[in-house]
Amino acid sequence: TPSNSSAASDVYKRQVKDGARVARVKDAMLSVNVFELFRDAVLGISSTVERHGAALLPYLLLDGVSVSA
């Protein structure tokens, strides 16, 4: 059954510092409530997109997301 929370372990994970990607993060886990994330945490959406399968996805600037590695 669908859930409103998600653990995304198979996504690209990169450390970002001052707006630049500086390193890949190995074995990181994101634990978020998807509905709350899109309602409260999206600060910006890029005009640049990346293709993942059939989807074209923008980068998101998110507030308050915890990453554990």
Side-chain angles (χ1 to χ4, degrees), residues 8-9 11-16 23-32 37 62-69:
S9 60
V11 297
Y12 290 102
K13 299 161 284 256
R14 293 191 173 95
Q15 179 183 6
V16 177
R24 287 193 70 129
V25 177
K26 185 177 179 182
D27 298 328
M29 179 69 72
L30 301 175
S31 181
V32 298
L37 178 78
L62 303 172
D63 183 37
V65 175
S66 297
V67 178
S68 58

Side-chain angles (χ1 to χ4, degrees), residues 5-66:
S5 61
S6 174
S9 60
D10 293 332
V11 297
Y12 290 102
K13 299 161 284 256
R14 293 191 173 95
Q15 179 183 6
V16 177
K17 184 175 183 176
D18 297 325
R21 292 184 235 169
V22 294
R24 287 193 70 129
V25 177
K26 185 177 179 182
D27 298 328
M29 179 69 72
L30 301 175
S31 181
V32 298
N33 179 303
V34 175
F35 296 114
E36 289 177 6
L37 178 78
F38 283 103
R39 184 188 69 212
D40 301 331
V42 177
L43 299 178
I45 302 173
S46 72
S47 59
T48 304
V49 295
E50 283 196 21
R51 179 174 298 278
H52 293 276
L56 290 174
L57 303 173
Y59 294 100
L60 298 175
L61 176 61
L62 303 172
D63 183 37
V65 175
S66 297

Side-chain angles (χ1 to χ4, degrees), residues 1-5:
T1 59
S3 171
N4 64 352
S5 61

